[in-house]
Amino acid sequence: MSARDILRAYEDRINRHDFETLSELIAEDAVFWFSDGSHHGLAEIRTAFERTWRTLSDETYWLEERRWLAEGDLAAACTYRFHWRAVIEGRAASGAGRGTTVLGLRNGRWQIVHEHLSADPD
């Protein structure tokens, strides 16, 4: 699978709300930066995802406006706009922001090594 394939698989699998399906796509030593803080390593990233899924029931997440900034033999980087829709405490909610995902070739396999999600600038 290419770096692009991994990002597409990630976008699909994230909506299953089952971290086991995501874990093979994420490097063990990955660093994810979310609005609630920095998460280092697969265990912390899992905790962040599972906490989000508990808060945002029926969440659907998707990417738009992908822009591949770099695609090399060992690393690739993509920026995008992310969107989500969910139910929070019984009420429909939605949001969007900007994201960057960096992928690295590890042991012959592409994996996500960094993700940074942030709100749109004011």
Side-chain angles (χ1 to χ4, degrees):
M1 290 177 65
S2 70
R4 288 178 183 239
D5 293 334
I6 294 299
L7 190 58
R8 276 191 294 272
Y10 178 74
E11 181 182 9
D12 173 61
R13 293 179 191 187
I14 203 169
N15 288 311
R16 298 178 191 176
H17 298 189
D18 177 2
F19 195 80
E20 288 304 315
T21 66
L22 287 177
S23 62
E24 72 175 2
L25 305 176
I26 303 170
E28 186 69 38
D29 60 345
V31 177
F32 279 35
W33 293 348
F34 296 152
S35 59
D36 69 344
S38 299
H39 308 282
H40 302 264
L42 212 46
E44 287 185 18
I45 294 166
R46 172 191 291 270
T47 298
F49 271 91
E50 291 176 348
R51 181 175 47 246
T52 298
W53 292 331
R54 280 192 304 275
T55 303
L56 304 177
S57 62
D58 298 324
E59 182 202 23
T60 302
Y61 177 89
W62 70 97
L63 307 179
E64 293 180 350
E65 301 174 32
R66 287 175 191 81
R67 183 169 175 224
W68 287 90
L69 303 177
E71 289 185 85
D73 293 337
L74 300 176
C78 184
T79 62
Y80 46 83
R81 289 196 38 77
F82 68 87
H83 302 268
W84 60 271
R85 237 185 344 250
V87 175
I88 302 174
E89 297 178 359
R91 294 183 174 201
S94 62
R98 303 181 297 176
T100 302
T101 297
V102 179
L103 300 101
L105 192 63
R106 301 279 180 91
N107 299 317
R109 236 176 55 193
W110 285 99
Q111 290 187 302
I112 297 168
V113 297
H114 178 65
E115 181 172 87
H116 182 184
L117 303 181
S118 62
D120 285 323
D122 293 332

